[in-house]
């Protein structure tokens, strides 16, 4: 399925009940959407003082692009290694592509 086709059954729900995915550098400060008014959830990527907020469709499109370009393979993805490397006590990094690693943003 394409991202648009996968999202279609949910995209017509107004207001959207799905909270956007927060910028990773603000993940610890970002609270659960909890009682946030659903109508305030952006439907397009937005930048604010709290970082970027990506709607579900944008995230699905990113996964599709990673699959297409060979940056992500669900058959060989090792969640345990990914989780370990992403911990602050460990290396605190994530591989964006097979040859590009990103470190987390400095904490405040």
């Amino acid at each position: 399925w394409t991202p648009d086709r996968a999202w279609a059954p949910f995209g017509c729900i107004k207001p959207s009940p799905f909270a956007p995915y927060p910028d990773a550098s603000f993940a610890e400060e970002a609270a659960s959407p909890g009682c946030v008014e659903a109508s305030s959830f952006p439907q397009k990527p937005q930048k604010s003082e709290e970082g970027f907020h990506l709607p579900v469709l944008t995230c699905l499109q990113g996964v599709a692009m990673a699959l297409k370009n060979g940056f992500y393979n669900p058959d060989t993805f090792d969640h345990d290694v990914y989780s370990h490397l992403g911990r602050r006590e460990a290396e605190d990094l994530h591989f964006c592509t097979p040859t590009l690693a990103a470190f987390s943003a400095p904490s405040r």
Side-chain angles (χ1 to χ4, degrees):
W1 285 28
T2 66
D4 290 319
R5 183 173 177 200
W7 177 247
F10 307 101
C12 61
I13 301 171
K14 303 293 181 203
S16 176
F18 301 100
Y21 187 80
D23 182 317
S25 65
F26 291 88
E28 289 189 358
E29 290 85 6
S32 170
C35 297
V36 174
E37 189 64 36
S39 62
S40 67
F41 295 158
Q43 299 305 303
K44 294 181 179 179
Q46 294 185 342
K47 182 167 179 12
S48 69
E49 291 181 16
E50 293 84 34
F52 288 97
H53 298 279
L54 304 174
V56 174
L57 178 57
T58 302
C59 296
L60 292 173
Q61 291 166 336
V63 171
M65 185 174 288
L67 285 164
K68 178 182 173 186
N69 291 303
F71 296 146
Y72 172 68
N73 182 336
D75 297 327
T76 60
F77 180 76
D78 189 332
H79 183 268
D80 292 334
V81 170
Y82 177 83
S83 295
H84 172 74
L85 291 176
R87 289 181 32 225
R88 189 170 289 166
E89 308 82 47
E91 286 79 3
D92 197 18
L93 64 92
H94 295 279
F95 283 92
C96 301
T97 71
T99 59
L100 175 66
F103 292 92
S104 296
S107 60
R108 294 178 187 169

